[in-house]
Amino acid sequence: DARVTQTPRHKVTEMGQEVTMRCQPILGHNTVFWYRQTMMQGLELLAYFRNRAPLDDSGMPKDRFSAEMPDATLATLKIQPSEPRDSAVYFCASGPGLAGVTETQYFGPGTRLLVL
Amino acid sequence: DAKTTQPPSMDCAEGRAANLPCNHSTISGNEYVYWYRQIHSQGPQYIIHGLKNNETNEMASLIITEDRKSSTLILPHATLRDTAVYYCIVIKAAGNKLTFGGGTRVLVKP
């Protein structure tokens, strides 16, 4: 049963520290999405990639957030420096990457981040 | 992408059908209706999607009105494990950005 995996599942850190979240998309999927979920804002798209290239990161605070795909099996989301307002659940999702059509996204279990 | 409107919450009796409405009156011809759900402490899960025709899979049925301005997700025999927030999302063909609204919080009661 293919699944998106995310690590760590939980992270507690202090304000100012760097946070790195990792995602392994489903094998063969070449579209990767990063979402953030908070009680106040709900689920928000931060960024997404196709074939490892960033297509849209307009939802991401540029000054402290960065998203990359070092290879096809790994996507990373970094926050540096972290702030308490970054506390949220961060979800990664992947899709088959069928260019030109809408597609189903498969979500990972999320990383719960708490910045003190 | 077209905006959707869903009731904030609804209750359903276990074993009965749950009918979840969604209004998308500004939908355009090339936009699909997608349904996802999020069970507590889990990531969103795809349920079903459609363009014009009604659709059915092992999880649910999707009924889209002829004018496509609204749709209904039907869970035929709700179980306690169907308690979740259900999101109706309209997305363009050749588009991948899911915009999640508030969804409908469904509570299935014994």
Side-chain angles (χ1 to χ4, degrees), chain B residues 11-62:
Chain B
D11 293 346
C12 176
E14 186 180 19
R16 305 293 291 269
N19 297 297
L20 283 62
C22 179
N23 182 286
H24 32 79
S25 58
T26 60
I27 194 170
S28 57
N30 66 345
E31 290 181 315
Y32 288 77
V33 180
Y34 270 74
W35 284 83
Y36 282 77
R37 73 179 182 183
Q38 187 172 23
I39 295 170
H40 183 61
S41 296
Q42 296 183 21
Q45 176 190 24
Y46 166 79
I47 301 173
I48 199 167
H49 74 281
L51 181 63
K52 297 181 186 176
N53 299 322
N54 298 336
E55 302 288 343
T56 295
N57 63 20
E58 65 279 3
M59 290 183 68
S61 295
L62 174 61

Side-chain angles (χ1 to χ4, degrees), chain A residues 37 50 56 100 103 105 112, chain B residues 36 38 41 44 94-97:
Chain A
Q37 186 171 34
R50 174 171 287 130
D56 188 344
E103 62 183 39
Q105 295 180 23
R112 294 181 180 278
Chain B
Y36 282 77
Q38 187 172 23
S41 296
N96 289 302
K97 293 175 64 172

Side-chain angles (χ1 to χ4, degrees), chain A residues 13-18 79-84 115-116:
Chain A
T13 190
E14 292 187 346
M15 183 173 63
Q17 297 298 305
E18 178 178 300
I79 308 174
Q80 169 61 25
S82 58
E83 298 181 1
V115 183
L116 302 174

